[in-house]
Amino acid sequence: MIVEAIEMDITKIGEKADAIVNAANETLLGGGGVDGAIHRAAGPELLEECRKLSGCKPGEAKATKAYRLNNKYIIHTVGPRYRLDPTPAETLSRCYLNCLKLADELGLESIAFPSISTGAFGYPIEEAAEVCAKAVCGYKPKNLKRFYMCIFNDDKAKKIYNSAFKRHEKKT
Ligand code: AR6
C-alpha cells in the first residue's frame, strides 16, 4: 500500500479515494472541524443515515454512503480525547486499523484520512503521526492500494506525517 500525506481539503479529493474517513464524535450527528465540512459537502441525507447508526464508540468505525461527494463511502470513526482517554495511543491506533479493515471488507482500493484527534480533541501532532504511521505501515491490506493522509492548510503537519511514514516503512 502506498502511504502518503498530501495537502488537501478531504471533501475535495473526489474519485482518487473510494472512501474518506470522518473524525466524528460519539453521536455521529455532526460537529465542527472536518466533521462539519464533510456533512456540509455530503448534504443532509448523510445526517439521516447517521441517525440510524446509534452512535459510535471511540476507536470503532462505521460506514455510510457518501451522497453528494464523489467517493463510494464515508467511514466514520471517533478518535480519543487526548486528555480524557486513559489510553489515547491505543484508541487512536484502533481508529486507523478499524477504518482500514472496514474499507478492505468493502473491497475498496483507496482511502483518505484526516488527521484524527489533532484538532478539537487535542492530540499533539508528532505523537499522533507516530501512532498513525505505526498502525498503517504495519497493516497488511487485502484490497487497499493507496492511503492518503489529507492535511488541511498545514505544511508542517504534512511533513511530520510523511517523515513518520518514511521511518515506519523502513521497519516493515
Ligand atoms: N479536510 C482535511 N482536514 C481538515 C478539514 C478538511 N476539510 N477540516 C479540518 N481538518 P477536528 P478531532 C483538520 O477538530 O480533533 C468535531 O467537532 C483539522 O485541521 O476536525 O478528531 C467532531 O464532531 C485537524 O488537523 O477533529 C468531534 O466532536 C484535523 O482535521 C471533534 O471535532 C482534525 O480536527 C473531533 O475532533
Side-chain angles (χ1 to χ4, degrees):
M1 184 164 68
I2 300 170
V3 176
E4 63 175 330
I6 57 174
E7 209 153 332
M8 165 89 69
D9 174 344
I10 199 166
T11 66
K12 304 269 164 64
I13 192 163
E15 293 158 359
K16 268 167 72 165
D18 289 339
I20 63 167
V21 172
N22 183 16
N25 58 61
E26 289 89 337
T27 68
L28 294 186
L29 299 179
V34 72
D35 194 6
I38 288 174
H39 274 271
R40 275 194 302 280
E45 299 95 333
L46 175 60
L47 183 59
E48 287 313 306
E49 186 175 354
C50 284
R51 282 190 205 288
K52 298 177 191 149
L53 298 178
S54 334
C56 183
K57 296 198 185 95
E60 293 182 354
K62 293 189 177 181
T64 64
K65 290 190 270 186
Y67 299 98
R68 295 177 198 176
L69 286 170
N70 272 336
N71 314 100
K72 293 181 183 154
Y73 295 94
I74 299 170
I75 297 180
H76 306 261
T77 189
V78 181
R81 288 172 176 77
Y82 187 68
R83 275 165 230 290
L84 295 178
D85 190 313
T87 54
E90 199 180 295
T91 307
L92 187 60
S93 178
R94 287 178 53 236
C95 286
Y96 284 101
L97 293 174
N98 283 327
C99 289
L100 292 173
K101 245 168 53 190
L102 184 50
D104 260 332
E105 282 161 15
L106 292 166
L108 307 183
E109 295 195 348
S110 51
I111 187 165
F113 282 76
S115 175
I116 299 167
S117 281
T118 64
F121 283 180
Y123 213 117
I125 186 86
E126 285 86 357
E127 281 180 45
E130 187 63 24
V131 172
C132 169
K134 192 173 171 194
V136 173
C137 297
Y139 177 76
K140 301 277 172 280
K142 275 192 281 179
N143 302 297
L144 283 168
K145 293 182 174 61
R146 304 229 33 157
F147 173 103
Y148 299 100
M149 169 55 66
C150 287
I151 299 294
F152 194 47
N153 253 337
D154 187 344
D155 199 48
K156 192 169 162 222
K158 188 182 86 174
K159 286 185 179 134
I160 290 169
Y161 272 99
N162 274 328
S163 73
F165 294 146
K166 268 206 197 95
R167 259 183 288 116
H168 281 276
E169 272 167 354
K170 278 187 202 130
K171 287 186 210 161
T172 52

